[in-house]
Amino acid sequence: MQLLSRGDAGPPVAEVRAALEEMGILEPTGPGPALFDEPLEQAVRTFQQHRGLITDGIVGPATYRALRDARWSLGDRMLLLNTQQPLTGDDVFALQERLLELGYDSGRADGVFGRQTEQALRSFQRDYGMSPDGMCGPRTLRHLGYLGRKVTGGRPGLLREQERLHKAGPRLSGKRIVIDPGHGGADRGALIGAGPEAVTEAGLVGDIARRLEGRMAAAGMEALLSHGPQDCPTDAERAGFANSAGADVVLSLHVDANTSPAANGLAAFHFGTGTGATSTVGEALAGFIHRELLARTRMLDCGVHPRPWELLRLTRMPAVRVEIGYLTNDRDRAALLDPGFRDVVAEGILVAVKRLYLLGQDDKPTGTFTWAEVLQREANRPAAAR
Ligand SMILES: [Zn+2]
């Protein structure tokens, strides 16, 4: 294909514009000829950065493919084998990841619906009492745990959380975690700059959520995102999703902002009214996350606090919200824009969850437990321990 860069125009440029606008990375423009202008170039760079592509602002084959793939999320269309022209997209990738998590060998998750993906899907359908037609539609998605149901009922006793934690065992494998990236869709959360060049909270926490999701899946956990990048459910809906998914833990990721550029640092929140009821497990997890991240990043300590916020209150499992730095602070923002830092944050959170399930039986000082060690420990324990 022809490379697209600044100064180009025509239908291929229009297609790139449309894709980036749909993702919310590019401000929509009115009708008129589609130009590859500076805002578009910035949007392409932002997209490339988020996808781990070379950030050159030029649309070549890899970026073009990624743009096309990114427009699909699971549930948008029926997925099935097409040997002539295999379906590709983020939805296929999500399906493969889910099948792998559930123990069905769909091959390496590559976002291409091939023969092995179909085989794995058929096996899954057979095991779950569906007709093994190899097609992934609404019914199959429901069985895969992707479509949430409406939730009824209130929050059970906080003591039950502790009981469940003690029964849960130290292994991460099999634990179901809902990762809740704050904001989403048109709501970008905290924001610095304007238009497509803006650095947004939603973009940053979405990226950290994906890094965390990948690590959790590798550790044998079931990591579910509370929503796709296009959606912004209310906090009550996010809590409902976690409840219907039967999550063990909910992790809500945010970045803060303040009118003062001097404000900076890391804070963690768990359910509590401040005067009486407190989720002790939530508090413990918030404390572990807080300590691990402080030790690994040297952000300023803004404390651990009880809050009666909806997401923390309506969830029936321990839930923690972290505010990872301030977008309005130069130093915090520079850190957040570094993918290496976002990896460190993801790793720190994963280790904190591991600590929660170890119930204090670890011998590693805060900040020193590595992801590799977590994986190794997981591998060394008998699978039957769950
Ligand atoms: Zn936020």
Side-chain angles (χ1 to χ4, degrees), residues 97-161:
E97 292 267 88
R98 186 73 180 127
L99 287 168
L100 285 168
E101 278 170 28
L102 292 169
Y104 296 90
D105 186 10
S106 57
R108 203 171 68 86
D110 55 4
V112 182
F113 197 110
R115 231 171 252 295
Q116 206 174 343
T117 307
E118 191 201 34
Q119 285 308 321
L121 182 59
R122 283 186 197 275
S123 306
F124 168 77
Q125 289 174 322
R126 209 170 289 122
D127 290 354
Y128 282 75
M130 287 172 276
S131 78
D133 58 10
M135 298 196 288
C136 182
R139 188 170 149 78
T140 302
L141 282 174
R142 209 155 39 239
H143 279 272
L144 284 164
Y146 263 100
L147 300 181
R149 279 162 288 131
K150 268 254 175 289
V151 174
T152 53
R155 186 188 176 85
L158 297 164
L159 279 175
R160 214 173 308 163
E161 284 182 357

Side-chain angles (χ1 to χ4, degrees), residues 83-97:
T83 46
Q84 306 290 313
Q85 201 176 5
L87 292 175
T88 70
D90 285 13
D91 52 350
V92 177
F93 183 80
L95 172 66
Q96 291 170 326
E97 292 267 88

